[in-house]
Amino acid sequence: MINTVPHGTLNKINEFVDIVFKFNNAYRLVGSLNKEEFKKFHVEPILLMDKLIDSNKIYDIGSGNGVPGIIVYIIKNVEMTLVEIDRNKAYILREISKMLDLGINVENSDYSKVAYDKNSIVLSKGLLNVEDCVKLMEKEISIKKAILVKGKKALEEKNSLENQNFTVNIIKTALYETNFVEINRNDS
């Protein structure tokens, strides 16, 4: 999968991974994974998200180590805001953005307090479940779509939701039990 990425993009992704691991001991950004495992299980699946991004205003909520937001920024060059409530992790995300010379905005805030731009997309890996994401989208009408990175339980979460204002699709990947949950607002 990663072999299909243009050389310059791959170099930037590898620089990102190196920087994350530079900060990992102090801030526990990736747990006990090594670089190859981190790329395989966290970075590679995000490369498949490319075709789902149809807006140039993206918010990665609960950014933590910068995945998926920084990877999406590197492959799509969109207007990206990383939203992270933890002050230390927000600081590290700003540092990563500076070190890689990325034009990413970092908000040290609770995602429920962010002013989302019109027609924006929300990304989340691990923070939001489908129900909480739909609640956010009901409150924030400017969000047109959400893409959640999920594992095996994606279908269970989808099936537990009954809301006529949104369409929820599961996009299965062939990579390491990673699935995307795409939530679209149904315009009336």
Side-chain angles (χ1 to χ4, degrees), residues 36 44 51 112 131 161 167:
E36 292 311 310
E44 283 188 39
K51 291 178 177 57
S112 65
E131 185 178 341
L161 179 75
T167 302

Side-chain angles (χ1 to χ4, degrees), residues 94-117:
R94 282 187 195 97
E95 290 301 305
I96 291 171
S97 180
K98 284 181 204 170
M99 293 169 84
L100 292 173
D101 195 29
L102 306 176
I104 292 177
N105 179 42
V106 178
E107 284 196 34
N108 180 206
S109 176
D110 184 299
Y111 71 87
S112 65
K113 295 183 170 109
V114 171
Y116 296 91
D117 288 327

